[in-house]
Amino acid sequence: MVTGEMRFTTKELSKRTWPDFERFFSQVHGCACTLYLHGRHLPSVARTATERAERFGVPDRSRSVFPARAFGRAQELSAVKELVWQGRAHGILVYGRGEPVGWCHFGRASALPVVRDDRTPPEMVARHPSSDWRITCFTTRMDYRRRGVATTALAAALEAIRQRGGGWIEATPIAFPHNDPTVRKLRKTYRWRSQEVIDYLEENWPHKEVPGVGSVNACLTTAKSMSHAGTMSMFERFGFQPTKRDEYRSSDRSWDPGDSVVMRLQI
Ligand SMILES: CC(C)(COP(=O)(O)OP(=O)(O)OC[C@H]1O[C@@H](n2cnc3c(N)ncnc32)[C@H](O)[C@@H]1OP(=O)(O)O)[C@@H](O)C(=O)NCCC(=O)NCCS
């Protein structure tokens, strides 16, 4: 894909590209998809600030490396590495100028999360029992955002699924993004659940009609960042159809509205 002057390439996550995955997740936030692979975030070794200080020392806030965070990242990478070596973790790395700048996780619906038990939250499993595949998460390096990196990753994930025989693919993107700095300002001034925030949202929050789904609310984004699940429009471009509002990811809260939609495509 060519976006402006930038051409992106993609590779699948594998033992060979593992160093690129490590490099990518040393440059971005996010859990390296351990949430979707394990069905929950990995347990934290130190939950409170006091526990963290006891175990790792008090963080030096003048520096950008925090020992507790680095420890958590190392734990996440080691958990994903084990699954890559077992052939149980799949995804696409996007490269710009030879550097890994984007990531998209996909996997077989029957194998996500890899460990499933009574405590697995329902939002961690496929919404439609007949879905064969899931595309769960995107991450793009901050300096490469809004240039088509996630869209490039999505195209490559679809191709990777096609090469494995295809089937029904499911995703749960946000209905549509909306960047409204006033909401953030009001939340800061009056608090999240204040009447001022609720009144403003009631008057101003955009919604739209999605055929077969009904009315859906926008999700708040910033100019640079939005939900890791992508947007409906990204998936529509490749032929995905909306099937229903995603009850697990949508919010009816008057102080924090926002809908996600379950989308499917058969390839
Ligand atoms: C979601 C994310 C991956 C999008 O990546 P990207 O490379 O910027 O996406 P693209 O440039 O391919 O854009 C895809 C679509 O989203 C839209 N979009 C992307 N960022 C947007 C933003 N901040 N506001 C509004 N729309 C946005 C684009 O306009 C495009 O829409 P279109 O399909 O209608 O043309 C990126 O914002 C991100 O990394 N967010 C953080 C996700 C995260 O926390 N991941 C870790 C989870 S543990």
Side-chain angles (χ1 to χ4, degrees):
M1 179 180 208
V2 180
T3 323
E5 80 289 5
M6 183 63 72
R7 182 182 287 275
F8 299 115
T9 57
T10 60
K11 288 181 193 168
E12 270 201 50
L13 175 64
S14 66
K15 289 182 188 175
R16 197 169 47 81
T17 56
W18 175 255
D20 297 337
F21 183 86
E22 278 187 311
R23 179 161 170 69
F24 177 69
F25 276 99
S26 69
Q27 295 173 329
V28 296
H29 293 297
C31 70
C33 281
T34 47
L35 173 64
Y36 287 102
L37 289 163
H38 287 257
R40 54 183 70 90
H41 284 297
L42 300 183
S44 166
V45 283
R47 285 176 198 280
T48 63
T50 313
E51 282 172 9
R52 280 194 291 276
E54 267 167 22
R55 175 145 188 181
F56 302 105
V58 178
D60 175 355
R61 298 206 175 271
S62 65
R63 301 181 63 215
S64 59
V65 173
F66 296 95
R69 201 184 291 162
F71 182 85
R73 179 44 40 106
Q75 260 193 322
E76 284 156 359
L77 288 174
S78 143
V80 179
K81 185 175 184 183
E82 202 176 314
L83 295 176
V84 171
W85 260 247
Q86 293 168 0
R88 298 166 85 191
H90 306 284
I92 301 292
L93 287 157
V94 181
Y95 297 78
R97 299 197 176 97
E99 278 287 304
V101 297
W103 162 250
C104 164
H105 172 242
F106 70 89
R108 285 193 191 273
S110 58
L112 284 181
V114 290
V115 181
R116 209 180 292 186
D117 55 31
D118 302 348
R119 292 179 309 133
T120 303
E123 66 269 25
M124 284 297 123
V125 299
R127 310 305 191 251
H128 290 277
S130 61
S131 293
D132 301 296
W133 297 92
R134 293 171 66 201
I135 296 178
T136 61
C137 182
F138 298 90
T139 312
T140 297
R141 215 172 77 179
M142 194 58 102
D143 52 339
Y144 275 81
R145 288 192 183 170
R146 306 208 71 170
R147 298 206 227 168
V149 169
T151 308
T152 303
L154 174 55
L158 294 176
E159 186 48 38
I161 290 171
R162 198 189 309 277
Q163 282 170 13
R164 287 168 168 84
W168 278 103
I169 310 168
E170 184 184 297
T172 51
I174 60 169
F176 64 106
H178 183 59
N179 178 17
D180 186 339
T182 307
V183 177
R184 285 191 291 276
K185 216 177 285 171
L186 288 172
R187 281 176 174 171
K188 220 169 164 181
T189 312
Y190 297 104
R191 289 186 303 116
W192 268 60
R193 300 182 187 195
S194 64
Q195 200 54 49
E196 287 81 358
V197 168
I198 293 169
D199 289 346
Y200 178 82
L201 289 168
E202 264 168 19
E203 288 268 302
N204 299 286
W205 202 242
H207 57 92
K208 73 176 184 189
E209 227 20 71
V210 175
V213 173
S215 176
V216 288
N217 280 312
C219 289
L220 185 65
T221 61
T222 64
K224 274 278 190 181
S225 195
M226 60 167 201
S227 159
H228 67 275
T231 60
M232 242 180 80
S233 61
M234 273 170 70
F235 287 88
E236 273 168 347
R237 180 169 293 128
F238 295 96
F240 279 75
Q241 297 285 334
T243 63
K244 58 181 174 181
R245 179 176 177 265
D246 184 11
E247 57 177 313
Y248 297 114
R249 285 264 172 77
S250 299
S251 156
D252 283 326
R253 296 182 292 260
S254 51
W255 63 90
D256 185 25
D259 286 318
S260 292
V261 174
V262 183
M263 298 190 82
R264 297 228 298 168
L265 172 71
Q266 190 180 29
I267 59 172

